[in-house]
Amino acid sequence: MARKGTQDSSQTASLGFEAKLWEVADLLRNNMDPGEYKHVVLGLLFLKYIDDAFAERGEQLQEAVADPKSSYYIANAKEREQELKALLEDRDEYTAENILWLPPNARWSYIRNMAPQPNIGRIIDDAMYAIEKENPIFTVLPKVYALPNLTRENLRDLINFVNRINLGTLEHQRKDTLGRVYEYFLSRFAGAEGKAGGDFYTPKSVVRLLVEILEPYKGRIYDPCCGSGGMFAQALEFILAHNGRRDQVTIYGQESNYTTWRMAQMNLAIRGIEASLGKKHADSFHEDLHLDLQADYILANPPFNTSDWGSERLENDVRWKYGRPPASNANFAWIQHILHHLAPSGTAGVVLANGSMSSLQSGEGEIRRSIIEADLVDCMVALPGQLFYSTQISACLWFLTKSKSTLGHRPRKGQTLFIDARRLGQMESRVHRALTAEDIQRVADTFHAWRNKDGRYKDIPGFCKSSTLEEIQARDFVLAPGLYVGAEETEDSREPFEDRMERLVTDLRDQLARSERLEVQIKSALKGLGYEI
């Protein structure tokens, strides 16, 4: 399968209404925290999505009973009307087409008509309960619409705006309209919530880079701290963009925060992604819900530098093969948990704080050394700053593998690729940066050129360097790419030292002479005005 592919432009361009919808939703901020009103907005979007598909199926049935070519066709108008009425309320006619059955009080038309009512919040909560009762796969829908700080007027305005958006029809499913709106809102909510919001959301450009490097075409994909499920959504997007099939991957995830776990369930459900996220929220360290999993691909963005992670309860854990992680920092607990769940031929991409590349505190240096000497580090990428909503701490990507000679790639035993991407990216706002599509392609292409048998990789000073275990050992097992890639090569750096010094001295003489001439001219001009210096 070819690595490069292009996404349908209809799936990447702006939908045109996201910003306006955000403005309407943001009215709720006056009375609610972002952590609360994100569930109000995302729940309504989900409800509109499933109702669009439900209503479209109803229209198809209505057309079918009047179409002589259809098996549903009924010639007699009166009988047709009676049959249609029965069909529209036949649950099997919907579920057979993988469409959720909606009871009457959970249908958007009912909610829209009831929007002016003073108890509209309770009406929507009841709709959510009804959907869960009829569709047991959903047990995490928000029931927050009757909260006292959610005014009827704001909720009515939000319903009226959402009513104008098509989300769940076949056309908009192909465009992934709801998925894109959901992604947009998750990013905006993360920005609005600041540090707390970043815990459930990994910036899209970072996830895309992980996915483009790992290439999860098929197999078992795992995220032990899956947040709102963005890693999985991007993995699916990659598969479809490269002409792959979603039924060739199996998704496993875990999330310790109950609210975030619910968001992940909804995020995946709206995209039609089946995933095993466990029957409950749970901590991957202390209640591993996928004990026997050996994953082909692991993507993870663990919380940075977590100090309160209950290490005292895991002193002799089987996962600490390369050393017991310190109680003061969970970074190497996450790396070893991921290595424990990585299949013999699997690959992993992990986002961690930059300190993980060089820290010597509390035995971290020895753990890192053991992992390096086991030849598990395939590639290290230093990221630019200001990418994350949750922290200003600089971050890096660890790419891990248990075999550097499988999956048709070239043998690279004892080799690690270092990429310094700190100068990449563009500012999206005053405080946040994002990697561009070109940046992502450049880093991913560099990695694949290095790893592939037919790749034409070359070291580029200041950007990338393929280093040996001996070189890493000589730098005390520190993995910061800047130590290896060196300075960016410029025109001056290729000029012989003696020639460059002669040229610079000549330039300096010219500048000094010009300065003297300008000083004389300035003094003369001031003297003409009656001023002496």
Side-chain angles (χ1 to χ4, degrees):
M1 185 180 292
R3 197 188 78 78
K4 289 187 178 181
T6 57
Q7 264 184 271
D8 183 346
S9 61
S10 69
Q11 293 188 339
T12 57
S14 171
L15 295 166
F17 58 76
E18 303 101 311
K20 180 61 180 176
L21 180 55
W22 172 259
E23 289 178 16
V24 176
D26 206 37
L27 293 173
L28 304 176
R29 188 193 293 216
N30 295 329
N31 302 310
M32 307 180 78
D33 293 331
E36 292 179 298
Y37 74 77
K38 68 169 173 273
H39 299 296
V40 173
V41 177
L42 297 177
L44 277 181
L45 290 172
F46 178 76
L47 189 56
K48 180 62 163 60
Y49 168 82
I50 58 178
D51 186 87
D52 280 353
F54 182 86
E56 186 174 46
R57 177 57 181 159
E59 292 172 2
Q60 292 170 354
L61 292 171
Q62 189 169 355
E63 293 173 1
V65 295
D67 183 1
K69 297 179 181 179
S70 171
S71 60
Y72 287 88
Y73 176 65
I74 299 175
N76 184 279
K78 187 174 182 179
E79 293 178 3
R80 181 192 309 157
E81 185 178 347
Q82 293 175 342
E83 178 65 16
L84 177 61
K85 187 176 180 179
L87 283 173
L88 291 177
E89 296 302 323
D90 186 342
R91 180 192 184 99
D92 292 342
E93 290 293 343
Y94 297 85
T95 57
E97 299 295 327
N98 294 317
I99 294 170
L100 294 178
W101 167 252
L102 296 180
N105 70 325
R107 296 172 190 174
W108 185 261
S109 58
Y110 174 74
I111 290 169
R112 182 192 64 222
N113 292 333
M114 298 298 289
Q117 299 301 314
N119 64 334
I120 181 59
R122 172 53 59 190
I123 290 170
I124 298 175
D125 281 350
D126 288 344
M128 296 297 184
Y129 281 114
I131 293 170
E132 290 183 346
K133 182 178 179 181
E134 294 287 344
N135 304 276
I137 61 170
F138 294 111
T139 58
V140 294
L141 299 182
K143 298 93 176 174
V144 295
Y145 297 92
L147 291 173
N149 53 346
L150 179 56
T151 68
R152 180 186 66 184
E153 291 75 19
N154 285 342
L155 186 52
R156 179 198 61 208
D157 291 344
L158 189 58
I159 291 170
N160 289 338
F161 192 90
V162 172
N163 184 60
R164 304 202 298 266
I165 305 171
N166 288 321
L167 295 170
T169 62
L170 287 174
E171 176 189 357
H172 287 279
Q173 287 183 38
R174 283 193 291 266
K175 293 180 180 179
D176 191 27
T177 299
L178 181 58
R180 291 153 66 193
V181 172
Y182 205 93
E183 178 79 25
Y184 175 83
F185 267 74
L186 286 176
S187 67
R188 292 301 301 262
F189 283 128
E193 291 183 69
K195 183 175 181 179
D199 289 342
F200 66 77
Y201 180 78
T202 304
K204 188 172 183 177
S205 66
V206 176
V207 181
R208 280 194 59 200
L209 179 56
L210 285 169
V211 170
E212 288 287 339
I213 286 180
L214 291 182
E215 297 185 319
Y217 288 116
K218 59 182 179 179
R220 293 153 297 189
I221 302 174
Y222 173 53
D223 184 348
C225 42
C226 67
S228 56
M231 297 285 190
F232 302 136
Q234 285 294 305
L236 176 64
E237 189 174 304
F238 173 89
I239 292 166
L240 298 179
H242 293 74
N243 301 315
R245 290 166 43 191
R246 69 167 66 194
D247 61 359
Q248 290 187 320
V249 297
T250 309
I251 289 174
Y252 300 86
Q254 188 162 336
E255 172 55 43
S256 61
N257 182 282
Y258 174 65
T259 300
T260 306
W261 175 73
R262 288 169 55 202
M263 290 174 62
Q265 298 272 23
M266 286 181 59
N267 192 15
L268 299 181
I270 64 175
R271 300 169 187 271
I273 300 175
E274 293 186 13
S276 174
L277 302 186
K279 294 183 179 180
K280 60 179 181 176
H281 64 293
D283 186 314
S284 289
F285 291 144
H286 300 283
E287 193 175 1
D288 191 345
L289 301 179
H290 306 287
L291 280 172
D292 299 322
L293 175 65
Q294 290 286 281
D296 300 296
Y297 305 97
I298 300 179
L299 303 94
N301 176 23
F304 291 175
N305 302 327
T306 302
S307 57
D308 184 17
W309 61 281
S311 64
E312 68 281 357
R313 290 179 279 153
L314 299 168
E315 289 188 13
N316 300 310
D317 195 276
V318 67
R319 290 169 289 187
W320 311 153
K321 183 176 179 180
Y322 304 98
R324 181 183 168 191
S328 58
N329 196 312
N331 287 344
F332 283 95
W334 282 113
I335 287 181
Q336 293 190 83
H337 175 86
I338 286 164
L339 287 169
H340 176 76
H341 279 293
L342 196 61
S345 58
T347 54
V350 190
V351 186
L352 286 174
N354 274 356
S356 63
M357 299 188 291
S358 58
S359 173
L360 300 174
Q361 296 179 355
S362 306
E364 288 185 327
E366 288 303 312
I367 299 174
R368 185 174 55 251
R369 174 175 179 165
S370 296
I371 291 171
I372 293 169
E373 289 181 335
D375 207 15
L376 298 170
V377 183
D378 215 15
C379 176
M380 297 295 300
V381 179
L383 294 173
Q386 297 179 280
L387 289 175
F388 295 86
Y389 294 100
S390 57
T391 180
Q392 293 302 311
I393 297 173
S394 297
C396 60
L397 302 181
W398 289 62
F399 290 95
L400 307 167
T401 183
K402 289 186 176 178
S403 175
K404 294 186 176 180
S405 59
T406 59
L407 299 175
H409 303 133
R410 73 175 183 85
R412 51 199 189 283
K413 184 177 179 181
Q415 300 175 41
T416 297
L417 177 65
F418 292 92
I419 299 176
D420 190 345
R422 289 177 295 176
R423 289 180 290 277
L424 302 184
Q426 293 182 356
M427 297 301 293
E428 284 190 322
S429 68
R430 185 175 55 85
V431 294
H432 289 122
R433 178 184 299 273
L435 297 170
T436 67
E438 291 75 19
D439 295 333
I440 294 168
Q441 197 71 55
R442 182 186 180 193
V443 175
D445 285 350
T446 299
F447 175 79
H448 291 293
W450 174 79
R451 188 178 66 169
N452 293 349
K453 288 181 178 179
D454 56 351
R456 298 182 179 181
Y457 171 81
K458 289 183 179 180
D459 289 341
I460 301 175
F463 180 66
C464 61
K465 172 74 165 63
S466 180
S467 298
T468 63
L469 177 59
E470 290 73 25
E471 290 176 292
I472 298 173
Q473 184 177 13
R475 289 170 173 80
D476 297 322
F477 298 95
V478 172
L479 294 175
L483 289 177
Y484 299 89
V485 303
E488 183 176 1
E489 189 175 71
T490 63
E491 201 65 40
D492 286 348
S493 67
R494 291 190 291 270
E495 185 179 8
F497 176 77
E498 293 79 6
D499 294 347
R500 184 163 70 253
M501 282 302 299
E502 184 176 346
R503 175 175 57 78
L504 292 173
V505 169
T506 301
D507 288 345
L508 179 60
R509 289 198 197 100
D510 291 342
Q511 294 295 329
L512 290 173
R514 186 178 177 214
S515 175
E516 290 176 2
R517 290 195 298 271
L518 287 173
E519 182 180 354
V520 171
Q521 292 173 7
I522 291 170
K523 286 181 177 180
S524 176
L526 289 172
K527 186 175 182 181
L529 296 173
Y531 298 95
E532 286 284 347
I533 296 181

